[in-house]
Amino acid sequence: MRYLSRWMFASGCGALAMVLWPSTALAQYLDPGAGSIIVQVVIAVLVGVGATVKVYWRTISAFLSRRSKRDVSI
């Protein structure tokens, strides 16, 4: 157990050192694969938002209709 905790401490110190002292990145361009992944993420977010709205549509519309009725009566 003592060996495991020393190993975890050393790994944590190494990870902290990599975060605190990063080397310079020479990323000067986006290759086609990276662009494709970005497009896929944007599409996935849009589909996810659409699916969430579809699942909760009755709750959303009920909330909005109650709110609008209160606004009209005031």
Side-chain angles (χ1 to χ4, degrees):
M1 188 68 168
R2 183 176 294 242
Y3 173 75
L4 183 61
S5 64
R6 286 183 185 171
W7 181 82
M8 290 174 62
F9 177 73
S11 297
C13 287
L16 184 64
M18 285 191 278
V19 169
L20 292 177
W21 294 287
S23 62
T24 57
L26 300 175
Q28 298 175 0
Y29 68 96
L30 291 175
D31 62 342
S36 174
I37 290 173
I38 291 170
V39 170
Q40 289 178 16
V41 167
V42 169
I43 292 171
V45 166
L46 292 175
V47 169
V49 168
T52 303
V53 168
K54 181 179 179 183
V55 168
Y56 293 109
W57 178 250
R58 288 186 183 183
T59 306
I60 293 169
S61 62
F63 175 74
L64 293 176
S65 66
R66 279 186 275 160
R67 188 172 200 181
S68 64
K69 287 180 184 177
R70 272 192 267 157
D71 291 342
V72 172
S73 65
I74 292 176

